[in-house]
Amino acid sequence: MGTLGSIVYRQTDGGSDNDAIVTHIFHWLLVHMGVVEKVVWLRLKSKHSHNYADRGFSMIKEKLWGKRGG
C-alpha cells in the first residue's frame, strides 16, 4: 500500500453523518496501517463558509429570501 504523505488534512461539515463511528475508524485505519502518520480533521461549524465566494452568495441569498431560504 502506498503512502499519502506524513499528514492528511480532512475538512468536513459538522453534521452527525460526518461524526459517525465509521469515520473515526477510517481515520484510525489510515494511521494504524501506516498510510499516513497523522490525520488532521477540521470540522466546520454551522453557517461556515468554504471560501469567500460561498459566503458572499449565502449573504445575498439571506438578504433576498431571509434566513429560511427561498
Side-chain angles (χ1 to χ4, degrees):
M1 185 177 295
T3 62
L4 298 174
S6 59
I7 301 175
V8 166
Y9 292 90
R10 180 164 187 240
Q11 179 177 307
T12 63
D13 295 332
S16 59
D17 55 330
N18 288 319
D19 194 25
I21 187 86
V22 173
T23 304
H24 292 278
I25 292 170
F26 174 71
H27 293 157
W28 176 81
L29 278 171
L30 286 174
V31 175
H32 179 73
M33 295 179 74
V35 178
V36 297
E37 292 178 18
K38 182 178 181 178
V39 174
V40 176
W41 185 10
L42 307 167
R43 294 185 64 215
L44 302 172
K45 296 179 181 180
S46 61
K47 297 287 238 177
H48 69 275
S49 170
H50 291 273
N51 60 41
Y52 292 113
D54 284 353
R55 183 64 186 138
F57 287 123
S58 174
M59 291 168 65
I60 292 168
K61 180 180 175 185
E62 186 173 320
K63 291 291 182 189
L64 294 174
W65 290 289
K67 292 185 184 264
R68 300 188 87 194

